[in-house]
Amino acid sequence: MKISDCRGRFWLGVGVACLAAWGTSARAADAVRDVTGATSAQLAAPAAPAQSATAPAASGAIQELRDRIQNKEVTELRTTYNGRYGASLLFYPQTMGYYVALFHEGQFWRVVRVSNEKKAEALYGDFVRQTQVLADVEIRRIKLEAQKAMMERQLAESEARLNAVQSDLAIQRQQEQALAQNQQAVREQASALETERTAARIRLNDLQGQIRSLEAEQNSADSDLVRSVKGTGNRKTTRRQ
């Protein structure tokens, strides 16, 4: 993010939307004034800002930064994003001071005022590392959600494929059963036809034998008739002589 953007819509929107998330205490104010000597737990604890000449005495650091962003009194120097978490370092020219902020989804939840540049940079670096730690869990959740969604899609596809294969198999089995029944019927028909063909062949051979026998008798009778006719003719010729 460019430095000039803090005077644009992002930081203006953030400043308007930020709510005071931490209370005030003298012990937290001591931790803010001595940043480099503070522990990680102290840095993560609520901070009570010291009073400034331009801010109301009762104003917390979050509200104060929000007001100054809205009034375009600060300049963004650095911003780092990790997932939906971010850390920013802002410069307040009027006092040559700095604001170091942690935010989540555009909402400030930790703001510290620092007058020393090195301390401000060190605190900013610590806040950046905090965003990395905080974002790791969320990034893992995002990846797990994506993996879960992908596996659910694959599961749905596999179930659809299983249903299709089961349907194909059922149809195949029905067809195979029908084919087997048809084959059995065809074999039975072929066996019956073979029996009928054999019987017909036997009957045909018998009829053909009878025909040949009758034809032989007919031929023999014809021969006898011819010989009889010839014998009668010869006798008539002899009598005439």
Side-chain angles (χ1 to χ4, degrees):
M1 187 182 292
K2 297 180 180 180
I3 293 175
S4 59
D5 290 345
C6 72
R7 292 175 179 165
R9 62 179 179 274
F10 173 75
W11 283 111
L12 180 58
V14 170
V16 172
C18 287
L19 298 175
W22 302 102
T24 61
S25 68
R27 183 177 180 182
D30 294 337
V32 171
R33 285 191 293 269
D34 190 10
V35 175
T36 55
T39 64
S40 298
Q42 288 173 324
L43 290 174
Q51 297 182 6
S52 65
T54 58
S59 175
I62 293 176
Q63 181 63 41
E64 181 180 302
L65 178 58
R66 186 190 68 175
D67 294 340
R68 285 179 175 165
I69 289 173
Q70 187 174 5
N71 295 331
K72 301 179 180 180
E73 297 175 347
V74 293
T75 301
E76 179 187 3
L77 301 180
R78 303 181 191 276
T79 294
T80 299
Y81 287 92
N82 280 292
R84 292 184 294 176
Y85 294 89
S88 290
L89 175 63
L90 302 101
F91 179 60
Y92 182 45
Q94 187 170 341
T95 62
M96 298 298 290
Y98 301 87
Y99 289 91
V100 187
L102 271 174
F103 57 88
H104 176 250
E105 293 185 333
Q107 300 294 322
F108 290 141
W109 59 277
R110 182 81 171 93
V111 174
V112 177
R113 287 189 299 263
V114 183
S115 59
N116 183 278
E117 181 180 1
K118 290 183 179 181
K119 292 181 179 182
E121 291 283 1
L123 182 57
Y124 171 74
D126 184 77
F127 278 11
V128 169
R129 287 187 290 272
Q130 288 188 42
T131 64
Q132 292 174 338
V133 173
L134 293 169
D136 282 345
V137 176
E138 187 170 0
I139 291 172
R140 183 171 180 272
R141 178 188 60 79
I142 292 171
K143 291 180 179 179
L144 289 173
E145 284 181 349
Q147 291 173 357
K148 177 175 176 285
M150 182 180 68
M151 295 190 73
E152 287 177 348
R153 290 193 300 269
Q154 292 176 344
L155 179 61
E157 292 172 358
S158 297
E159 289 177 346
R161 178 59 180 165
L162 176 62
N163 292 335
V165 172
Q166 288 176 337
S167 177
D168 289 346
L169 182 59
I171 294 173
Q172 179 181 346
R173 287 174 176 171
Q174 291 175 357
Q175 293 296 327
E176 288 176 350
Q177 184 177 6
L179 180 60
Q181 293 174 351
N182 181 68
Q183 288 288 306
Q184 181 64 25
V186 169
R187 283 193 294 270
E188 292 175 355
Q189 291 174 3
S191 179
L193 290 171
E194 180 64 25
T195 301
E196 292 174 1
R197 185 187 69 82
T198 301
R201 172 59 64 184
I202 294 172
R203 178 62 177 164
L204 177 61
N205 291 337
D206 182 59
L207 290 175
Q208 287 177 345
Q210 293 180 25
I211 291 171
R212 286 192 296 270
S213 177
L214 291 173
E215 286 177 344
E217 290 179 6
Q218 185 180 19
N219 291 334
S220 177
D222 289 343
S223 297
D224 292 342
L225 179 61
V226 169
R227 282 194 299 271
S228 175
V229 171
K230 285 183 178 181
T232 302
N234 289 336
R235 283 196 296 274
K236 288 180 179 180
T237 302
T238 303
R239 288 176 183 174
R240 287 177 184 174
Q241 289 179 351

